Amino acid sequence: MSKARQGIYAAAITPFQEDGSVDQAKLVAYCRHLLTEGGCDGVAPTGTTGEGTSVAMTDRLALPAAFAEAGFAPDQVIFGTGAPSAQDCVALTRAACEAGFVNVLVLPPYYYKSPSDDGVFAYYANLVDKVGRDDLRIYLYHFPQMSAVPLSTALVTRLREAFGPVIAGLKDSSGDFAQSRAFVEATGGVAAGFDVYPSSEAFLWDGLDIGTAGIISGSTNLFGALAQKARRAPAGPARDAAMQAVSAARGVASKYPLMAAMKTATAWRTGDDGWLRMAPPLVPLSAEMKAAFRADLDALNVTADPVS
């Protein structure tokens, strides 16, 4: 089966070397951590939290082969391959597929604002046609706050009807649970083979109850194990307590620039300040923010100390 497994995904942060290139070995090791001690079912590299649109094309094209060489299961990785250029998107998606990773997360073309549904449909149709693989699985990426190109439910159902299982699901980063519900209702959700992933673990159980497939979140870089505990908890007080912990953790994450906060926590956990590097125009947390973030993590009783 080519489709990505369902569950808890981390939109993985990206480590950069001093020259601004991606540290492939460190990213591979980090994603292995997310799938083990990090508590996640899958990883989504080169997405928004991974600063994917700031990563050089040469690095993005090379990463799938590095993950394949490291032995990652194809159904545990969803590479971000969206780009303003339709042909760059095709090249990135081909590189992922050729390495064995046929599940891809694809932003709409995000330079031209307010394109028509016909135009956005043509972008995704071009991708399906040019890649030309029946096992390709595209996860549409709805993030209107960043892309300024929202995906309407009408467009999503049109793509699904045109290309069937190749349009495998959708990540909803709107932050609006009503929007996630609308996508589920329009497509049938997991019962109809369409996997909707809200972007906040605070929506985990409410989403599962209406037919979502799990979550793909930036804050699960740090809180994946908490989310997994909530996912596995039996109904009742144990689940309620677990979800309260998840919601509190998500609340802390939302107070800070997310990518910088997740990199700071990872630098603390590993003792490696190289994790603090960010691709311009993003910058690390200020000293004041770091102190406040550490205090918030201590209050949550979440460990971010160097590994022994």
Side-chain angles (χ1 to χ4, degrees):
M1 183 178 179
S2 60
K3 193 173 187 180
R5 67 184 66 180
Q6 299 172 353
I8 307 296
Y9 279 74
I13 53 176
T14 300
F16 294 107
Q17 302 189 82
E18 289 186 6
D19 65 358
S21 63
V22 173
D23 189 327
Q24 288 188 12
K26 189 185 287 189
L27 178 58
V28 164
Y30 176 68
C31 286
R32 184 65 67 197
H33 157 77
L34 290 172
L35 293 173
T36 52
E37 295 96 335
C40 295
D41 298 296
V43 292
T46 57
T48 301
T49 307
E51 301 168 81
T53 59
S54 299
V55 172
M57 275 290 290
T58 50
D59 281 327
R60 294 180 74 184
L61 288 167
L63 280 174
F67 275 68
E69 184 176 351
F72 280 80
D75 67 347
Q76 284 189 288
V77 184
I78 305 175
F79 277 104
T81 63
S85 162
Q87 299 316 104
D88 283 351
C89 180
V90 169
L92 290 164
T93 302
R94 280 179 176 157
C97 290
E98 288 167 2
F101 300 102
V102 297
N103 296 286
V104 292
L105 178 64
V106 184
L107 280 164
Y110 49 84
Y111 180 78
Y112 295 106
K113 308 312 175 191
S114 303
S116 66
D117 274 7
D118 286 345
V120 178
F121 181 92
Y123 174 87
Y124 286 108
N126 178 76
L127 177 61
V128 175
D129 178 62
K130 293 294 196 304
V131 173
R133 294 179 59 132
D134 291 339
D135 61 348
L136 175 63
R137 296 294 178 264
I138 295 170
Y139 292 79
L140 308 172
Y141 194 176
H142 177 69
F143 199 176
Q145 303 95 306
M146 294 294 285
S147 71
V149 183
L151 300 177
S152 68
T153 55
L155 174 61
V156 171
T157 55
R158 179 182 172 190
L159 286 165
R160 178 73 171 173
E161 288 167 0
F163 302 112
V166 170
I167 306 299
L170 177 146
K171 182 187 177 192
D172 177 21
S173 290
S174 68
D176 180 359
F177 186 70
Q179 180 65 75
S180 295
R181 182 189 295 275
F183 285 128
V184 170
E185 291 176 349
T187 61
V190 294
F194 190 83
D195 293 350
V196 175
Y197 289 91
S199 63
S200 171
E201 54 270 42
F203 296 152
L204 175 60
W205 267 108
D206 287 344
L208 293 173
D209 284 346
I210 66 167
T212 65
I215 51 118
I216 301 175
S217 170
S219 49
T220 47
N221 281 279
L222 179 56
F223 302 127
L226 283 178
Q228 193 64 255
K229 182 178 179 180
R231 180 178 177 233
R232 295 176 178 175
R239 181 184 297 173
D240 292 343
M243 279 305 304
Q244 287 174 6
V246 166
S247 295
R250 179 70 187 194
V252 165
S254 68
K255 293 169 60 177
Y256 303 93
L258 183 60
M259 291 84 103
M262 294 300 102
K263 286 191 163 183
T264 298
T266 302
W268 288 337
R269 179 183 62 80
T270 61
D272 178 2
D273 282 349
W275 275 105
L276 299 176
R277 297 188 189 105
M278 305 196 73
L282 301 182
V283 295
L285 296 183
S286 66
E288 293 78 9
M289 281 188 172
K290 283 183 181 178
F293 184 43
R294 187 59 186 252
D296 282 339
L297 292 184
D298 288 344
L300 287 173
N301 196 29
V302 172
T303 300
D305 293 320
V307 291
S308 59

Coordinates of all heavy atoms in Angstrom, one line a residue, residues 148-210:
A148 N -1.8 32.6 1.0 CA -2.8 33.5 0.5 C -3.5 32.9 -0.7 O -4.1 33.6 -1.5 CB -2.2 34.8 0.1
V149 N -3.5 31.5 -0.8 CA -4.3 30.8 -1.8 C -5.1 29.7 -1.1 O -4.6 28.6 -1.0 CB -3.3 30.2 -2.9 CG1 -4.1 29.5 -4.0 CG2 -2.4 31.3 -3.5
P150 N -6.3 30.0 -0.6 CA -7.1 29.0 0.1 C -7.6 28.0 -0.9 O -7.7 28.2 -2.1 CB -8.2 29.8 0.6 CG -8.3 31.1 -0.2 CD -6.9 31.4 -0.7
L151 N -7.8 26.8 -0.4 CA -8.3 25.7 -1.2 C -9.8 25.5 -0.8 O -10.1 25.2 0.3 CB -7.6 24.4 -0.9 CG -6.1 24.4 -1.3 CD1 -5.4 23.1 -0.9 CD2 -5.9 24.7 -2.7
S152 N -10.7 25.8 -1.7 CA -12.1 25.7 -1.5 C -12.5 24.2 -1.4 O -11.9 23.3 -2.0 CB -12.9 26.4 -2.5 OG -12.8 25.7 -3.8
T153 N -13.6 23.9 -0.7 CA -14.1 22.5 -0.6 C -14.5 22.1 -2.0 O -14.4 20.9 -2.4 CB -15.3 22.4 0.3 OG1 -16.3 23.4 0.0 CG2 -14.8 22.6 1.8
A154 N -15.0 23.0 -2.8 CA -15.4 22.7 -4.2 C -14.2 22.2 -5.0 O -14.3 21.3 -5.8 CB -16.1 23.8 -4.9
L155 N -13.1 22.9 -4.9 CA -11.9 22.6 -5.6 C -11.4 21.2 -5.1 O -11.0 20.4 -5.9 CB -10.8 23.6 -5.4 CG -9.5 23.3 -6.0 CD1 -9.6 23.1 -7.5 CD2 -8.5 24.4 -5.7
V156 N -11.4 21.0 -3.8 CA -10.9 19.7 -3.3 C -11.7 18.6 -3.8 O -11.1 17.5 -4.2 CB -10.9 19.8 -1.7 CG1 -10.6 18.4 -1.1 CG2 -9.9 20.8 -1.2
T157 N -13.0 18.7 -3.8 CA -13.8 17.6 -4.3 C -13.7 17.4 -5.8 O -13.7 16.3 -6.3 CB -15.3 17.8 -3.9 OG1 -15.8 19.1 -4.4 CG2 -15.5 17.8 -2.4
R158 N -13.5 18.5 -6.5 CA -13.2 18.4 -7.9 C -11.9 17.6 -8.2 O -11.9 16.8 -9.1 CB -13.2 19.8 -8.5 CG -12.9 19.9 -10.0 CD -12.8 21.3 -10.5 NE -12.4 21.5 -11.9 CZ -12.1 22.6 -12.4 NH1 -12.1 23.8 -11.7 NH2 -11.7 22.7 -13.7
L159 N -10.9 17.9 -7.5 CA -9.6 17.2 -7.7 C -9.8 15.7 -7.3 O -9.3 14.9 -8.1 CB -8.5 17.9 -6.8 CG -8.0 19.2 -7.3 CD1 -7.2 19.9 -6.2 CD2 -7.1 19.0 -8.5
R160 N -10.5 15.5 -6.3 CA -10.7 14.1 -5.9 C -11.5 13.3 -6.9 O -11.1 12.2 -7.2 CB -11.4 14.1 -4.5 CG -11.8 12.7 -4.0 CD -10.6 12.0 -3.4 NE -11.0 10.8 -2.7 CZ -10.1 9.8 -2.3 NH1 -8.8 10.0 -2.5 NH2 -10.6 8.8 -1.7
E161 N -12.5 14.0 -7.4 CA -13.3 13.3 -8.5 C -12.5 13.1 -9.8 O -12.7 12.0 -10.4 CB -14.6 14.1 -8.8 CG -15.6 14.1 -7.6 CD -16.6 15.2 -7.8 OE1 -16.6 15.9 -8.7 OE2 -17.5 15.2 -6.9
A162 N -11.6 14.0 -10.1 CA -10.8 13.9 -11.3 C -9.7 12.9 -11.2 O -9.4 12.1 -12.2 CB -10.3 15.2 -11.7
F163 N -9.1 12.8 -10.0 CA -7.9 12.0 -9.9 C -7.9 10.9 -8.9 O -6.9 10.2 -8.7 CB -6.7 12.9 -9.6 CG -6.5 14.0 -10.7 CD1 -6.7 15.3 -10.4 CD2 -6.1 13.6 -12.0 CE1 -6.6 16.3 -11.4 CE2 -6.0 14.6 -13.0 CZ -6.2 15.9 -12.7
G164 N -9.1 10.7 -8.3 CA -9.3 9.5 -7.4 C -8.3 9.4 -6.3 O -7.9 10.5 -5.6
P165 N -7.7 8.2 -6.0 CA -6.9 8.0 -4.9 C -5.6 8.8 -4.9 O -4.9 8.9 -3.9 CB -6.7 6.5 -4.8 CG -6.9 6.1 -6.2 CD -8.0 7.0 -6.7
V166 N -5.2 9.3 -6.1 CA -4.0 10.1 -6.2 C -4.1 11.3 -5.3 O -3.1 11.8 -4.7 CB -3.7 10.5 -7.6 CG1 -2.5 11.5 -7.7 CG2 -3.3 9.3 -8.4
I167 N -5.3 11.9 -5.2 CA -5.5 13.0 -4.2 C -5.9 12.3 -2.9 O -7.1 12.0 -2.7 CB -6.6 13.9 -4.8 CG1 -6.3 14.4 -6.2 CG2 -6.8 15.1 -3.8 CD1 -5.0 15.2 -6.2
A168 N -4.9 12.1 -2.1 CA -5.1 11.2 -0.9 C -5.6 11.8 0.3 O -6.1 11.2 1.2 CB -3.7 10.5 -0.6
G169 N -5.4 13.2 0.4 CA -5.8 13.8 1.7 C -5.5 15.3 1.7 O -5.2 15.9 0.6
L170 N -5.5 15.9 2.8 CA -5.3 17.3 3.0 C -4.8 17.7 4.3 O -5.3 17.1 5.3 CB -6.6 18.1 2.7 CG -6.7 19.6 2.8 CD1 -7.6 20.2 1.7 CD2 -7.1 20.0 4.1
K171 N -3.8 18.6 4.4 CA -3.4 19.2 5.7 C -4.1 20.5 5.8 O -4.0 21.4 4.9 CB -1.9 19.3 5.8 CG -1.5 19.9 7.2 CD -0.1 20.3 7.3 CE 0.2 20.9 8.7 NZ 1.5 21.5 8.8
D172 N -4.9 20.7 6.9 CA -5.6 21.9 7.1 C -4.9 22.7 8.2 O -5.0 22.4 9.4 CB -7.0 21.7 7.5 CG -7.8 22.9 7.8 OD1 -7.3 24.0 7.4 OD2 -8.8 22.9 8.6
S173 N -4.1 23.7 7.8 CA -3.4 24.6 8.7 C -4.1 25.9 9.0 O -3.5 26.9 9.4 CB -2.0 24.8 8.2 OG -1.2 23.7 8.3
S174 N -5.4 25.9 8.7 CA -6.2 27.2 8.9 C -6.3 27.5 10.4 O -6.5 28.6 10.8 CB -7.6 27.0 8.3 OG -8.3 26.1 9.0
G175 N -6.2 26.5 11.2 CA -6.4 26.7 12.7 C -7.9 26.7 13.0 O -8.2 27.0 14.2
D176 N -8.7 26.5 12.1 CA -10.2 26.6 12.3 C -10.8 25.2 12.2 O -10.8 24.6 11.1 CB -10.8 27.5 11.2 CG -12.3 27.7 11.3 OD1 -12.9 27.1 12.2 OD2 -12.8 28.4 10.5
F177 N -11.2 24.6 13.3 CA -11.8 23.3 13.3 C -13.0 23.2 12.4 O -13.2 22.1 11.8 CB -12.1 22.8 14.7 CG -12.5 21.4 14.8 CD1 -11.6 20.4 14.6 CD2 -13.8 21.0 15.1 CE1 -11.9 19.0 14.7 CE2 -14.2 19.7 15.2 CZ -13.3 18.7 15.0
A178 N -13.8 24.2 12.3 CA -14.9 24.2 11.4 C -14.5 24.0 10.0 O -15.2 23.3 9.2 CB -15.7 25.5 11.6
Q179 N -13.3 24.5 9.6 CA -12.8 24.3 8.3 C -12.4 22.8 8.0 O -12.7 22.2 7.0 CB -11.6 25.2 8.0 CG -11.0 25.1 6.6 CD -12.0 25.5 5.5 OE1 -12.2 26.7 5.3 NE2 -12.5 24.5 4.8
S180 N -11.8 22.2 9.0 CA -11.4 20.8 9.0 C -12.7 20.0 8.8 O -12.7 19.0 8.0 CB -10.6 20.4 10.2 OG -9.4 21.0 10.3
R181 N -13.7 20.3 9.6 CA -15.0 19.6 9.5 C -15.6 19.7 8.1 O -16.1 18.7 7.5 CB -16.0 20.1 10.5 CG -17.3 19.3 10.5 CD -18.3 20.1 11.4 NE -17.9 20.1 12.8 CZ -18.1 19.1 13.7 NH1 -18.8 18.0 13.3 NH2 -17.8 19.2 14.9
A182 N -15.5 20.9 7.5 CA -16.0 21.1 6.2 C -15.3 20.2 5.1 O -16.0 19.7 4.2 CB -15.9 22.6 5.8
F183 N -14.0 20.1 5.3 CA -13.3 19.3 4.3 C -13.7 17.8 4.5 O -13.8 17.1 3.5 CB -11.7 19.4 4.5 CG -11.2 20.7 4.0 CD1 -10.4 21.5 4.8 CD2 -11.4 21.1 2.6 CE1 -9.8 22.7 4.2 CE2 -10.9 22.2 2.1 CZ -10.1 23.1 2.9
V184 N -13.8 17.4 5.7 CA -14.3 16.0 6.0 C -15.6 15.8 5.4 O -15.9 14.7 4.7 CB -14.2 15.7 7.5 CG1 -14.9 14.3 7.8 CG2 -12.8 15.7 8.0
E185 N -16.6 16.7 5.7 CA -17.9 16.5 5.2 C -18.0 16.5 3.7 O -18.8 15.8 3.0 CB -18.8 17.6 5.8 CG -19.0 17.4 7.3 CD -19.9 18.5 7.9 OE1 -20.1 19.5 7.2 OE2 -20.3 18.4 9.1
A186 N -17.2 17.3 3.0 CA -17.2 17.4 1.6 C -16.6 16.2 0.9 O -17.0 15.8 -0.2 CB -16.4 18.7 1.1
T187 N -15.6 15.5 1.5 CA -14.9 14.4 0.9 C -15.3 13.1 1.5 O -15.0 12.0 0.9 CB -13.4 14.6 1.1 OG1 -13.1 14.6 2.5 CG2 -12.9 15.9 0.5
G188 N -15.9 13.0 2.7 CA -16.2 11.8 3.3 C -15.2 11.4 4.3 O -15.3 10.4 5.1
G189 N -14.0 12.1 4.4 CA -13.0 11.8 5.4 C -12.4 10.4 5.2 O -12.4 9.8 4.2
V190 N -11.9 9.9 6.4 CA -11.2 8.6 6.3 C -12.2 7.4 5.9 O -11.7 6.5 5.2 CB -10.6 8.2 7.7 CG1 -9.5 9.2 8.0 CG2 -11.6 8.2 8.8
A191 N -13.4 7.6 6.1 CA -14.4 6.5 5.7 C -14.4 6.4 4.2 O -14.7 5.3 3.7 CB -15.8 6.8 6.3
A192 N -14.1 7.5 3.5 CA -14.1 7.5 2.0 C -12.7 7.5 1.5 O -12.5 7.7 0.3 CB -14.9 8.7 1.5
G193 N -11.7 7.2 2.3 CA -10.3 7.1 1.9 C -9.6 8.4 1.7 O -8.6 8.5 1.0
F194 N -10.2 9.5 2.3 CA -9.5 10.8 2.1 C -9.1 11.3 3.5 O -9.9 11.5 4.4 CB -10.5 11.8 1.6 CG -9.9 13.2 1.2 CD1 -9.2 13.3 0.0 CD2 -10.0 14.2 2.0 CE1 -8.7 14.5 -0.4 CE2 -9.4 15.5 1.7 CZ -8.7 15.6 0.5
D195 N -7.8 11.5 3.7 CA -7.2 11.7 5.0 C -7.0 13.2 5.3 O -6.1 13.8 4.7 CB -5.9 10.9 5.2 CG -6.1 9.4 5.2 OD1 -7.3 9.0 5.3 OD2 -5.1 8.7 5.1
V196 N -7.9 13.8 6.1 CA -7.7 15.2 6.5 C -6.9 15.2 7.8 O -7.2 14.5 8.8 CB -9.1 15.8 6.7 CG1 -8.9 17.3 7.3 CG2 -9.9 15.8 5.4
Y197 N -5.9 16.1 7.8 CA -5.0 16.3 9.0 C -5.1 17.7 9.5 O -4.5 18.6 8.8 CB -3.6 15.9 8.7 CG -3.3 14.5 8.5 CD1 -3.4 13.9 7.2 CD2 -2.9 13.7 9.5 CE1 -3.1 12.6 7.0 CE2 -2.6 12.3 9.3 CZ -2.7 11.8 8.1 OH -2.4 10.5 7.8
P198 N -5.8 18.0 10.6 CA -5.7 19.3 11.2 C -4.2 19.6 11.6 O -3.5 18.6 11.8 CB -6.6 19.3 12.4 CG -7.6 18.2 12.1 CD -6.8 17.2 11.3
S199 N -3.9 20.8 11.8 CA -2.5 21.1 12.1 C -2.2 21.3 13.6 O -1.1 21.6 14.0 CB -2.0 22.4 11.4 OG -2.8 23.5 11.8
S200 N -3.2 21.2 14.5 CA -3.0 21.4 15.9 C -3.4 20.1 16.6 O -4.5 19.6 16.5 CB -3.9 22.5 16.4 OG -3.9 22.6 17.8
E201 N -2.5 19.6 17.5 CA -2.8 18.4 18.3 C -4.0 18.7 19.3 O -4.6 17.7 19.8 CB -1.6 17.9 19.0 CG -0.8 18.9 19.9 CD 0.2 19.7 19.1 OE1 0.0 20.1 17.9 OE2 1.3 19.9 19.7
A202 N -4.3 20.0 19.6 CA -5.4 20.3 20.4 C -6.7 19.8 19.8 O -7.7 19.6 20.5 CB -5.5 21.7 20.7
F203 N -6.7 19.6 18.5 CA -7.9 19.1 17.7 C -7.9 17.6 17.6 O -8.8 17.0 16.9 CB -8.0 19.7 16.3 CG -8.2 21.2 16.3 CD1 -7.7 21.9 15.2 CD2 -8.8 21.9 17.3 CE1 -7.9 23.3 15.2 CE2 -9.0 23.3 17.3 CZ -8.5 24.0 16.2
L204 N -7.0 16.9 18.2 CA -6.8 15.5 17.9 C -8.0 14.6 18.1 O -8.5 14.0 17.1 CB -5.7 14.9 18.8 CG -5.4 13.4 18.7 CD1 -5.0 13.0 17.3 CD2 -4.4 13.0 19.7
W205 N -8.6 14.6 19.3 CA -9.7 13.7 19.5 C -11.0 14.2 18.8 O -11.8 13.4 18.3 CB -10.0 13.3 20.9 CG -9.2 12.1 21.3 CD1 -8.1 12.0 22.0 CD2 -9.5 10.7 20.8 NE1 -7.7 10.7 22.1 CE2 -8.5 9.9 21.3 CE3 -10.5 10.2 20.0 CZ2 -8.5 8.5 21.1 CZ3 -10.5 8.8 19.8 CH2 -9.5 8.0 20.3
D206 N -11.2 15.5 18.9 CA -12.4 16.0 18.2 C -12.3 15.7 16.7 O -13.3 15.4 16.0 CB -12.5 17.5 18.4 CG -12.9 17.9 19.8 OD1 -13.5 17.1 20.5 OD2 -12.7 19.1 20.1
G207 N -11.1 15.8 16.1 CA -10.9 15.5 14.7 C -11.2 14.0 14.4 O -11.9 13.6 13.5
L208 N -10.6 13.1 15.2 CA -10.8 11.7 15.0 C -12.3 11.3 15.1 O -12.8 10.4 14.4 CB -10.0 10.9 16.1 CG -8.5 11.0 15.9 CD1 -7.8 10.3 17.1 CD2 -8.0 10.4 14.6
D209 N -13.0 12.0 16.0 CA -14.4 11.7 16.2 C -15.2 12.0 14.9 O -16.3 11.4 14.7 CB -15.0 12.5 17.3 CG -14.6 11.9 18.7 OD1 -14.1 10.7 18.7 OD2 -14.7 12.6 19.7
I210 N -14.8 13.0 14.1 CA -15.5 13.4 12.9 C -15.0 12.8 11.6 O -15.5 13.0 10.5 CB -15.6 14.9 12.7 CG1 -14.3 15.5 12.5 CG2 -16.3 15.5 14.0 CD1 -14.3 17.0 12.0

